[in-house]
C-alpha cells in the first residue's frame, strides 16, 4: 500500500525567511504533484514532477524530486503572507482506468509579519 | 474558475435524509473522481469514473452511491449517513494519461 508522509504538519514562519517542506512516499510512482489549498477553497495544482532530478520553480516556490530516495521537497524562499495556505503532495500512478493519487496529510503554512 | 463546478457548496443533513451532490466539468476530460477530505486526515479517493464507467471503488460504504450519466457530470447520492461522514467532498476531473487533476471547490457536508 502506498503511503505518503509530509513534514512538518504545521509550519509557522516569519516573512522573509526560507524553509522546506518534505514529502516521503513508500513505493515507486509515475509522478509527484504539489497542490495548494486556501481555507474553504479548492485545491490548486502547483507542480507536477515526472522524473528523477526534476526541479520546477514558480515565484518563491521550488519543488524537486529524488525518486531514488522517494523524496520530494517544496522550498519556500523569502516567504510572504500570501503564501499562507495548506500544501499537499500527492503521488500518482498512471492507469488506464484513471489517474489514482495518494495524498499526504498536508502542511499548513502560516507566514507571519 | 477551475472548470469543475460543485453544488451545493454547503449541506446539512440528518441521518435519515437522502441528498445528492453534483459535479460538472467543462474541460472535456474523460475521467472524474470523488475525494473525501476530513479534518486531520489525508484526502481519500472514493470513486473513479473513466468514460462513464466506474473503475475504482475504494472500499466506500454503500450509503454513498455514485452516478456518472456522462463524461461531464458526476453525482454522489447520500442516504442514512453517519456523523463521521461529515467532511469536505471534492470532485475532480482529468484527461487520462495527462498530468494533473482539476478540483472543484467542494461540498462541505455536515451530518447531524
Amino acid at each position: 500500500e502506498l503511503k505518503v508522509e509530509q513534514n512538518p504538519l504545521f509550519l509557522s514562519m516569519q516573512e522573509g525567511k526560507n524553509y522546506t517542506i518534505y514529502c516521503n512516499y513508500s513505493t515507486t510512482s509515475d509522478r509527484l504533484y504539489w497542490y495548494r489549498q486556501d481555507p474553504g477553497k479548492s485545491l490548486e495544482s502547483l507542480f507536477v514532477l515526472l522524473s528523477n532530478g526534476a526541479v520546477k520553480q514558480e515565484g518563491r516556490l521550488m519543488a524537486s524530486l529524488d525518486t531514488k530516495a522517494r523524496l520530494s521537497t517544496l522550498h519556500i524562499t523569502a516567504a510572504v503572507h500570501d503564501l499562507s495556505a495548506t500544501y499537499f503532495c500527492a503521488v500518482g500512478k498512471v492507469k488506464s482506468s484513471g489517474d489514482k493519487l495518494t495524498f499526504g496529510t498536508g502542511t499548513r503554512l502560516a507566514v507571519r509579519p | 474558475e477551475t472548470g469543475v463546478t460543485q453544488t451545493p457548496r454547503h449541506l446539512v443533513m440528518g441521518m435519515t435524509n437522502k441528498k445528492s451532490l453534483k459535479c460538472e466539468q467543462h474541460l472535456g476530460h474523460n475521467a472524474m473522481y470523488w475525494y473525501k477530505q476530513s479534518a486531520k486526515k489525508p484526502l481519500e479517493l472514493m470513486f473513479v469514473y473513466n468514460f462513464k464507467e466506474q473503475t475504482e471503488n475504494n472500499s466506500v460504504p454503500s450509503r454513498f452511491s455514485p452516478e456518472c450519466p456522462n463524461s461531464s457530470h458526476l453525482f454522489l447520492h447520500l442516504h442514512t449517513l453517519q456523523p463521521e461522514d461529515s467532511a469536505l467532498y471534492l470532485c475532480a476531473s482529468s484527461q487520462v494519461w495527462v498530468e494533473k487533476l482539476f478540483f472543484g471547490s467542494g461540498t462541505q457536508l455536515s451530518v447531524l
Side-chain angles (χ1 to χ4, degrees), chain B residues 1-53:
Chain B
E1 177 57 54
T2 63
V4 181
T5 305
Q6 287 187 245
T7 55
R9 292 294 306 273
H10 302 274
L11 178 61
V12 180
M13 58 188 289
M15 293 166 61
T16 58
N17 293 156
K18 290 183 180 181
K19 297 286 184 182
S20 295
L21 310 184
K22 179 182 176 182
C23 176
E24 183 175 1
Q25 59 97 358
H26 314 275
L27 301 169
H29 291 162
N30 48 31
M32 295 187 78
Y33 311 76
W34 281 116
Y35 278 86
K36 176 182 178 182
Q37 186 177 28
S38 306
K40 300 180 181 178
K41 290 177 71 175
L43 272 80
E44 301 171 70
L45 177 65
M46 299 175 72
F47 301 104
V48 181
Y49 277 83
N50 187 14
F51 290 101
K52 303 187 298 178
E53 299 298 320

Short mmCIF file of all heavy atoms in Angstrom, two decimals, chain B residues 1-53:
data_model
loop_
_atom_site.label_atom_id
_atom_site.label_comp_id
_atom_site.label_asym_id
_atom_site.label_seq_id
_atom_site.Cartn_x
_atom_site.Cartn_y
_atom_site.Cartn_z
N GLU B 1 -11.58 30.29 -11.60
CA GLU B 1 -12.53 29.28 -12.09
C GLU B 1 -11.74 28.07 -12.59
O GLU B 1 -10.93 28.16 -13.50
CB GLU B 1 -13.37 29.86 -13.24
CG GLU B 1 -14.33 28.86 -13.85
CD GLU B 1 -15.29 28.26 -12.81
OE1 GLU B 1 -15.95 29.04 -12.12
OE2 GLU B 1 -15.35 27.03 -12.71
N THR B 2 -11.96 26.92 -11.96
CA THR B 2 -11.18 25.75 -12.31
C THR B 2 -11.82 24.95 -13.43
O THR B 2 -11.22 24.03 -13.94
CB THR B 2 -11.03 24.83 -11.10
OG1 THR B 2 -12.32 24.36 -10.72
CG2 THR B 2 -10.42 25.59 -9.93
N GLY B 3 -13.03 25.24 -13.80
CA GLY B 3 -13.71 24.44 -14.81
C GLY B 3 -14.44 23.26 -14.23
O GLY B 3 -15.05 22.50 -14.97
N VAL B 4 -14.37 23.07 -12.93
CA VAL B 4 -15.11 22.00 -12.27
C VAL B 4 -16.02 22.65 -11.23
O VAL B 4 -15.53 23.32 -10.31
CB VAL B 4 -14.15 21.00 -11.57
CG1 VAL B 4 -14.93 19.89 -10.90
CG2 VAL B 4 -13.15 20.43 -12.59
N THR B 5 -17.30 22.46 -11.40
CA THR B 5 -18.30 23.13 -10.56
C THR B 5 -19.01 22.11 -9.69
O THR B 5 -19.50 21.09 -10.19
CB THR B 5 -19.33 23.85 -11.45
OG1 THR B 5 -18.65 24.74 -12.33
CG2 THR B 5 -20.30 24.64 -10.59
N GLN B 6 -19.09 22.40 -8.40
CA GLN B 6 -19.79 21.51 -7.48
C GLN B 6 -20.93 22.25 -6.81
O GLN B 6 -20.79 23.41 -6.43
CB GLN B 6 -18.83 21.00 -6.39
CG GLN B 6 -17.84 19.98 -6.87
CD GLN B 6 -17.04 19.39 -5.73
OE1 GLN B 6 -15.83 19.58 -5.65
NE2 GLN B 6 -17.71 18.66 -4.84
N THR B 7 -22.03 21.55 -6.64
CA THR B 7 -23.17 22.09 -5.89
C THR B 7 -23.77 21.00 -5.02
O THR B 7 -23.73 19.82 -5.38
CB THR B 7 -24.26 22.62 -6.85
OG1 THR B 7 -24.63 21.59 -7.76
CG2 THR B 7 -23.77 23.84 -7.61
N PRO B 8 -24.32 21.36 -3.87
CA PRO B 8 -24.23 22.68 -3.25
C PRO B 8 -22.85 22.90 -2.62
O PRO B 8 -22.06 21.97 -2.52
CB PRO B 8 -25.31 22.61 -2.17
CG PRO B 8 -25.31 21.18 -1.75
CD PRO B 8 -25.04 20.38 -3.02
N ARG B 9 -22.57 24.10 -2.20
CA ARG B 9 -21.30 24.38 -1.51
C ARG B 9 -21.33 23.89 -0.07
O ARG B 9 -20.31 23.48 0.47
CB ARG B 9 -21.00 25.88 -1.54
CG ARG B 9 -20.69 26.44 -2.90
CD ARG B 9 -19.38 25.87 -3.46
NE ARG B 9 -18.25 26.05 -2.58
CZ ARG B 9 -17.48 27.13 -2.54
NH1 ARG B 9 -17.74 28.14 -3.35
NH2 ARG B 9 -16.44 27.21 -1.72
N HIS B 10 -22.52 23.99 0.53
CA HIS B 10 -22.69 23.54 1.91
C HIS B 10 -23.97 22.71 2.00
O HIS B 10 -24.95 23.01 1.32
CB HIS B 10 -22.80 24.74 2.87
CG HIS B 10 -21.62 25.65 2.83
ND1 HIS B 10 -20.49 25.44 3.58
CD2 HIS B 10 -21.38 26.77 2.10
CE1 HIS B 10 -19.61 26.41 3.33
NE2 HIS B 10 -20.14 27.22 2.43
N LEU B 11 -23.93 21.70 2.85
CA LEU B 11 -25.10 20.85 3.01
C LEU B 11 -25.14 20.33 4.44
O LEU B 11 -24.14 19.79 4.94
CB LEU B 11 -25.04 19.66 2.03
CG LEU B 11 -26.17 18.64 2.10
CD1 LEU B 11 -27.50 19.31 1.78
CD2 LEU B 11 -25.92 17.49 1.14
N VAL B 12 -26.29 20.52 5.08
CA VAL B 12 -26.52 19.96 6.40
C VAL B 12 -27.66 18.96 6.27
O VAL B 12 -28.71 19.29 5.71
CB VAL B 12 -26.89 21.06 7.42
CG1 VAL B 12 -27.14 20.45 8.79
CG2 VAL B 12 -25.79 22.11 7.50
N MET B 13 -27.44 17.77 6.74
CA MET B 13 -28.49 16.76 6.63
C MET B 13 -28.55 15.89 7.87
O MET B 13 -27.55 15.71 8.58
CB MET B 13 -28.29 15.89 5.38
CG MET B 13 -26.99 15.15 5.30
SD MET B 13 -26.76 14.34 3.69
CE MET B 13 -27.96 13.01 3.78
N GLY B 14 -29.76 15.38 8.10
CA GLY B 14 -29.95 14.45 9.18
C GLY B 14 -29.58 13.04 8.75
O GLY B 14 -29.41 12.76 7.56
N MET B 15 -29.47 12.17 9.71
CA MET B 15 -29.00 10.82 9.42
C MET B 15 -30.01 10.03 8.60
O MET B 15 -29.65 9.05 7.95
CB MET B 15 -28.66 10.09 10.72
CG MET B 15 -27.44 10.68 11.42
SD MET B 15 -27.23 10.13 13.13
CE MET B 15 -27.04 8.39 12.91
N THR B 16 -31.27 10.46 8.58
CA THR B 16 -32.27 9.71 7.82
C THR B 16 -32.55 10.32 6.45
O THR B 16 -33.34 9.80 5.68
CB THR B 16 -33.59 9.62 8.61
OG1 THR B 16 -34.04 10.96 8.88
CG2 THR B 16 -33.38 8.87 9.91
N ASN B 17 -31.92 11.45 6.17
CA ASN B 17 -32.18 12.13 4.90
C ASN B 17 -31.52 11.44 3.72
O ASN B 17 -30.57 10.65 3.87
CB ASN B 17 -31.65 13.57 4.95
CG ASN B 17 -32.41 14.45 5.92
OD1 ASN B 17 -31.87 15.44 6.39
ND2 ASN B 17 -33.65 14.10 6.21
N LYS B 18 -32.03 11.78 2.53
CA LYS B 18 -31.36 11.43 1.28
C LYS B 18 -31.06 12.71 0.53
O LYS B 18 -31.96 13.53 0.34
CB LYS B 18 -32.26 10.54 0.41
CG LYS B 18 -32.49 9.15 0.93
CD LYS B 18 -33.33 8.37 -0.06
CE LYS B 18 -33.58 6.96 0.44
NZ LYS B 18 -34.37 6.17 -0.52
N LYS B 19 -29.83 12.86 0.10
CA LYS B 19 -29.42 14.04 -0.65
C LYS B 19 -28.44 13.61 -1.73
O LYS B 19 -27.89 12.51 -1.70
CB LYS B 19 -28.75 15.08 0.26
CG LYS B 19 -29.63 15.64 1.35
CD LYS B 19 -30.65 16.62 0.78
CE LYS B 19 -31.46 17.25 1.92
NZ LYS B 19 -32.49 18.17 1.40
N SER B 20 -28.19 14.54 -2.66
CA SER B 20 -27.21 14.25 -3.72
C SER B 20 -26.27 15.42 -3.90
O SER B 20 -26.68 16.58 -3.83
CB SER B 20 -27.93 13.98 -5.04
OG SER B 20 -28.70 12.80 -4.96
N LEU B 21 -25.02 15.11 -4.15
CA LEU B 21 -24.03 16.11 -4.52
C LEU B 21 -23.84 16.04 -6.03
O LEU B 21 -23.84 14.96 -6.63
CB LEU B 21 -22.69 15.84 -3.84
CG LEU B 21 -22.71 15.62 -2.33
CD1 LEU B 21 -21.28 15.47 -1.80
CD2 LEU B 21 -23.45 16.71 -1.61
N LYS B 22 -23.63 17.22 -6.63
CA LYS B 22 -23.48 17.28 -8.08
C LYS B 22 -22.14 17.88 -8.46
O LYS B 22 -21.66 18.80 -7.81
CB LYS B 22 -24.61 18.11 -8.68
CG LYS B 22 -24.53 18.25 -10.20
CD LYS B 22 -25.65 19.13 -10.73
CE LYS B 22 -25.52 19.35 -12.23
NZ LYS B 22 -26.57 20.26 -12.75
N CYS B 23 -21.58 17.35 -9.52
CA CYS B 23 -20.32 17.87 -10.04
C CYS B 23 -20.42 17.94 -11.56
O CYS B 23 -20.92 17.00 -12.21
CB CYS B 23 -19.16 16.96 -9.64
SG CYS B 23 -17.56 17.44 -10.33
N GLU B 24 -19.94 19.03 -12.12
CA GLU B 24 -19.95 19.19 -13.57
C GLU B 24 -18.60 19.74 -14.01
O GLU B 24 -18.08 20.68 -13.40
CB GLU B 24 -21.07 20.15 -14.00
CG GLU B 24 -21.20 20.33 -15.50
CD GLU B 24 -22.40 21.18 -15.87
OE1 GLU B 24 -23.12 21.64 -14.96
OE2 GLU B 24 -22.62 21.39 -17.08
N GLN B 25 -18.04 19.15 -15.04
CA GLN B 25 -16.76 19.67 -15.54
C GLN B 25 -16.92 20.15 -16.98
O GLN B 25 -17.60 19.51 -17.78
CB GLN B 25 -15.64 18.62 -15.40
CG GLN B 25 -15.86 17.31 -16.12
CD GLN B 25 -15.18 17.21 -17.46
OE1 GLN B 25 -14.54 18.15 -17.94
NE2 GLN B 25 -15.30 16.05 -18.10
N HIS B 26 -16.27 21.29 -17.24
CA HIS B 26 -16.40 21.95 -18.55
C HIS B 26 -15.08 21.90 -19.30
O HIS B 26 -14.79 22.76 -20.12
CB HIS B 26 -16.79 23.42 -18.32
CG HIS B 26 -17.90 23.60 -17.32
ND1 HIS B 26 -19.23 23.51 -17.68
CD2 HIS B 26 -17.88 23.87 -15.99
CE1 HIS B 26 -19.97 23.73 -16.60
NE2 HIS B 26 -19.19 23.93 -15.57
N LEU B 27 -14.27 20.89 -19.01
CA LEU B 27 -12.91 20.84 -19.53
C LEU B 27 -12.72 19.79 -20.61
O LEU B 27 -11.60 19.63 -21.11
CB LEU B 27 -11.92 20.59 -18.37
CG LEU B 27 -11.97 21.64 -17.26
CD1 LEU B 27 -11.19 21.17 -16.04
CD2 LEU B 27 -11.43 22.97 -17.77
N GLY B 28 -13.76 19.05 -20.91
CA GLY B 28 -13.63 18.00 -21.91
C GLY B 28 -12.84 16.79 -21.43
O GLY B 28 -12.36 16.00 -22.24
N HIS B 29 -12.72 16.64 -20.14
CA HIS B 29 -11.98 15.50 -19.59
C HIS B 29 -12.81 14.22 -19.67
O HIS B 29 -14.03 14.25 -19.79
CB HIS B 29 -11.60 15.77 -18.13
CG HIS B 29 -10.57 16.84 -17.99
ND1 HIS B 29 -10.34 17.50 -16.80
CD2 HIS B 29 -9.69 17.37 -18.89
CE1 HIS B 29 -9.36 18.38 -16.96
NE2 HIS B 29 -8.96 18.32 -18.21
N ASN B 30 -12.11 13.09 -19.56
CA ASN B 30 -12.82 11.81 -19.64
C ASN B 30 -12.77 11.00 -18.35
O ASN B 30 -13.28 9.88 -18.31
CB ASN B 30 -12.29 10.97 -20.82
CG ASN B 30 -10.79 10.91 -20.83
OD1 ASN B 30 -10.14 10.95 -19.79
ND2 ASN B 30 -10.21 10.82 -22.02
N ALA B 31 -12.17 11.53 -17.31
CA ALA B 31 -12.16 10.83 -16.03
C ALA B 31 -12.65 11.79 -14.95
O ALA B 31 -12.31 12.98 -14.96
CB ALA B 31 -10.76 10.35 -15.68
N MET B 32 -13.45 11.27 -14.02
CA MET B 32 -13.96 12.08 -12.91
C MET B 32 -13.81 11.30 -11.61
O MET B 32 -13.84 10.06 -11.61
CB MET B 32 -15.42 12.48 -13.14
CG MET B 32 -15.57 13.40 -14.36
SD MET B 32 -17.23 14.07 -14.54
CE MET B 32 -17.21 15.37 -13.29
N TYR B 33 -13.65 12.05 -10.52
CA TYR B 33 -13.28 11.45 -9.24
C TYR B 33 -14.08 12.08 -8.10
O TYR B 33 -14.40 13.27 -8.14
CB TYR B 33 -11.79 11.72 -8.94
CG TYR B 33 -10.83 11.40 -10.07
CD1 TYR B 33 -10.71 12.24 -11.16
CD2 TYR B 33 -10.03 10.27 -10.01
CE1 TYR B 33 -9.82 11.96 -12.20
CE2 TYR B 33 -9.12 9.98 -11.03
CZ TYR B 33 -9.03 10.82 -12.12
OH TYR B 33 -8.14 10.54 -13.13
N TRP B 34 -14.35 11.29 -7.08
CA TRP B 34 -14.80 11.81 -5.80
C TRP B 34 -13.72 11.56 -4.76
O TRP B 34 -13.24 10.43 -4.63
CB TRP B 34 -16.09 11.15 -5.34
CG TRP B 34 -17.34 11.65 -5.98
CD1 TRP B 34 -18.19 10.95 -6.78
CD2 TRP B 34 -17.92 12.96 -5.85
NE1 TRP B 34 -19.24 11.74 -7.18
CE2 TRP B 34 -19.10 12.99 -6.61
CE3 TRP B 34 -17.54 14.13 -5.17
CZ2 TRP B 34 -19.91 14.12 -6.73
CZ3 TRP B 34 -18.35 15.25 -5.28
CH2 TRP B 34 -19.52 15.24 -6.05
N TYR B 35 -13.38 12.64 -4.03
CA TYR B 35 -12.45 12.55 -2.91
C TYR B 35 -13.17 13.04 -1.65
O TYR B 35 -14.01 13.93 -1.70
CB TYR B 35 -11.22 13.44 -3.12
CG TYR B 35 -10.14 12.83 -3.98
CD1 TYR B 35 -10.19 12.94 -5.37
CD2 TYR B 35 -9.06 12.18 -3.41
CE1 TYR B 35 -9.18 12.39 -6.16
CE2 TYR B 35 -8.05 11.63 -4.19
CZ TYR B 35 -8.12 11.75 -5.56
OH TYR B 35 -7.13 11.22 -6.34
N LYS B 36 -12.75 12.50 -0.51
CA LYS B 36 -13.26 12.94 0.79
C LYS B 36 -12.10 13.56 1.56
O LYS B 36 -11.01 12.98 1.64
CB LYS B 36 -13.82 11.74 1.58
CG LYS B 36 -14.28 12.08 2.98
CD LYS B 36 -14.77 10.82 3.70
CE LYS B 36 -15.18 11.14 5.13
NZ LYS B 36 -15.61 9.92 5.87
N GLN B 37 -12.36 14.75 2.10
CA GLN B 37 -11.34 15.42 2.91
C GLN B 37 -11.88 15.65 4.31
O GLN B 37 -12.76 16.48 4.52
CB GLN B 37 -10.91 16.76 2.28
CG GLN B 37 -9.75 17.41 3.00
CD GLN B 37 -9.28 18.69 2.34
OE1 GLN B 37 -10.05 19.39 1.69
NE2 GLN B 37 -8.01 19.00 2.49
N SER B 38 -11.35 14.88 5.27
CA SER B 38 -11.74 15.01 6.67
C SER B 38 -10.66 15.79 7.40
O SER B 38 -9.50 15.80 6.98
CB SER B 38 -11.91 13.64 7.32
OG SER B 38 -12.81 12.85 6.59
N ALA B 39 -11.05 16.36 8.51
CA ALA B 39 -10.08 17.10 9.31
C ALA B 39 -8.96 16.17 9.76
O ALA B 39 -9.20 15.06 10.20
CB ALA B 39 -10.78 17.71 10.53
N LYS B 40 -7.75 16.65 9.60
CA LYS B 40 -6.56 15.95 10.10
C LYS B 40 -6.31 14.60 9.43
O LYS B 40 -5.59 13.76 9.96
CB LYS B 40 -6.63 15.76 11.62
CG LYS B 40 -6.71 17.07 12.38
CD LYS B 40 -6.76 16.86 13.88
CE LYS B 40 -6.87 18.20 14.60
NZ LYS B 40 -6.98 18.04 16.07
N LYS B 41 -6.91 14.38 8.28
CA LYS B 41 -6.65 13.14 7.54
C LYS B 41 -6.32 13.49 6.09
O LYS B 41 -6.77 14.51 5.57
CB LYS B 41 -7.88 12.23 7.56
CG LYS B 41 -8.16 11.63 8.91
CD LYS B 41 -9.43 10.79 8.87
CE LYS B 41 -9.27 9.52 8.10
NZ LYS B 41 -10.46 8.65 8.17
N PRO B 42 -5.54 12.64 5.43
CA PRO B 42 -5.25 12.91 4.01
C PRO B 42 -6.52 12.81 3.17
O PRO B 42 -7.47 12.15 3.57
CB PRO B 42 -4.28 11.79 3.63
CG PRO B 42 -3.81 11.21 4.89
CD PRO B 42 -4.87 11.43 5.90
N LEU B 43 -6.49 13.44 2.02
CA LEU B 43 -7.58 13.26 1.08
C LEU B 43 -7.68 11.77 0.72
O LEU B 43 -6.69 11.11 0.45
CB LEU B 43 -7.32 14.03 -0.22
CG LEU B 43 -7.79 15.45 -0.26
CD1 LEU B 43 -6.82 16.36 0.44
CD2 LEU B 43 -7.98 15.90 -1.71
N GLU B 44 -8.92 11.29 0.73
CA GLU B 44 -9.15 9.88 0.43
C GLU B 44 -9.91 9.76 -0.89
O GLU B 44 -10.97 10.35 -1.05
CB GLU B 44 -10.00 9.24 1.52
CG GLU B 44 -9.42 9.30 2.91
CD GLU B 44 -10.45 8.84 3.93
OE1 GLU B 44 -10.77 7.65 3.97
OE2 GLU B 44 -10.96 9.71 4.67
N LEU B 45 -9.34 8.98 -1.79
CA LEU B 45 -10.04 8.70 -3.03
C LEU B 45 -11.22 7.78 -2.74
O LEU B 45 -11.08 6.76 -2.07
CB LEU B 45 -9.09 8.03 -4.03
CG LEU B 45 -9.68 7.62 -5.36
CD1 LEU B 45 -10.14 8.83 -6.16
CD2 LEU B 45 -8.68 6.79 -6.15
N MET B 46 -12.39 8.17 -3.27
CA MET B 46 -13.59 7.33 -3.07
C MET B 46 -13.92 6.55 -4.33
O MET B 46 -14.03 5.33 -4.31
CB MET B 46 -14.77 8.21 -2.68
CG MET B 46 -14.58 9.00 -1.39
SD MET B 46 -15.95 10.12 -1.07
CE MET B 46 -17.25 8.97 -0.62
N PHE B 47 -14.12 7.27 -5.42
CA PHE B 47 -14.54 6.63 -6.68
C PHE B 47 -13.81 7.27 -7.85
O PHE B 47 -13.49 8.45 -7.83
CB PHE B 47 -16.05 6.81 -6.91
CG PHE B 47 -16.92 6.25 -5.82
CD1 PHE B 47 -17.52 7.11 -4.91
CD2 PHE B 47 -17.16 4.89 -5.73
CE1 PHE B 47 -18.34 6.60 -3.90
CE2 PHE B 47 -17.97 4.37 -4.73
CZ PHE B 47 -18.56 5.23 -3.81
N VAL B 48 -13.62 6.45 -8.89
CA VAL B 48 -13.08 6.94 -10.15
C VAL B 48 -13.99 6.46 -11.27
O VAL B 48 -14.39 5.29 -11.29
CB VAL B 48 -11.65 6.41 -10.42
CG1 VAL B 48 -11.13 6.97 -11.75
CG2 VAL B 48 -10.72 6.78 -9.28
N TYR B 49 -14.31 7.37 -12.18
CA TYR B 49 -15.05 7.03 -13.38
C TYR B 49 -14.21 7.40 -14.59
O TYR B 49 -13.65 8.49 -14.66
CB TYR B 49 -16.39 7.78 -13.45
CG TYR B 49 -17.49 7.11 -12.66
CD1 TYR B 49 -17.60 7.32 -11.29
CD2 TYR B 49 -18.40 6.29 -13.29
CE1 TYR B 49 -18.60 6.70 -10.57
CE2 TYR B 49 -19.42 5.66 -12.58
CZ TYR B 49 -19.50 5.87 -11.21
OH TYR B 49 -20.49 5.26 -10.50
N ASN B 50 -14.12 6.49 -15.51
CA ASN B 50 -13.39 6.71 -16.74
C ASN B 50 -14.34 6.44 -17.90
O ASN B 50 -14.83 5.31 -18.04
CB ASN B 50 -12.18 5.78 -16.80
CG ASN B 50 -11.28 6.08 -17.98
OD1 ASN B 50 -11.39 7.12 -18.61
ND2 ASN B 50 -10.39 5.16 -18.27
N PHE B 51 -14.61 7.47 -18.71
CA PHE B 51 -15.58 7.33 -19.80
C PHE B 51 -16.89 6.74 -19.28
O PHE B 51 -17.43 5.80 -19.84
CB PHE B 51 -15.03 6.45 -20.93
CG PHE B 51 -13.92 7.09 -21.70
CD1 PHE B 51 -12.61 6.74 -21.46
CD2 PHE B 51 -14.19 8.04 -22.66
CE1 PHE B 51 -11.58 7.33 -22.18
CE2 PHE B 51 -13.16 8.64 -23.39
CZ PHE B 51 -11.85 8.27 -23.14
N LYS B 52 -17.37 7.28 -18.19
CA LYS B 52 -18.65 6.94 -17.56
C LYS B 52 -18.65 5.59 -16.85
O LYS B 52 -19.64 5.23 -16.23
CB LYS B 52 -19.80 6.95 -18.58
CG LYS B 52 -20.01 8.24 -19.32
CD LYS B 52 -21.27 8.19 -20.15
CE LYS B 52 -21.21 7.10 -21.20
NZ LYS B 52 -22.47 7.01 -21.99
N GLU B 53 -17.58 4.85 -16.94
CA GLU B 53 -17.55 3.55 -16.28
C GLU B 53 -16.79 3.65 -14.96
O GLU B 53 -15.69 4.23 -14.91
CB GLU B 53 -16.85 2.51 -17.18
CG GLU B 53 -17.52 2.28 -18.51
CD GLU B 53 -18.93 1.73 -18.34
OE1 GLU B 53 -19.12 0.87 -17.44
OE2 GLU B 53 -19.83 2.13 -19.09
#
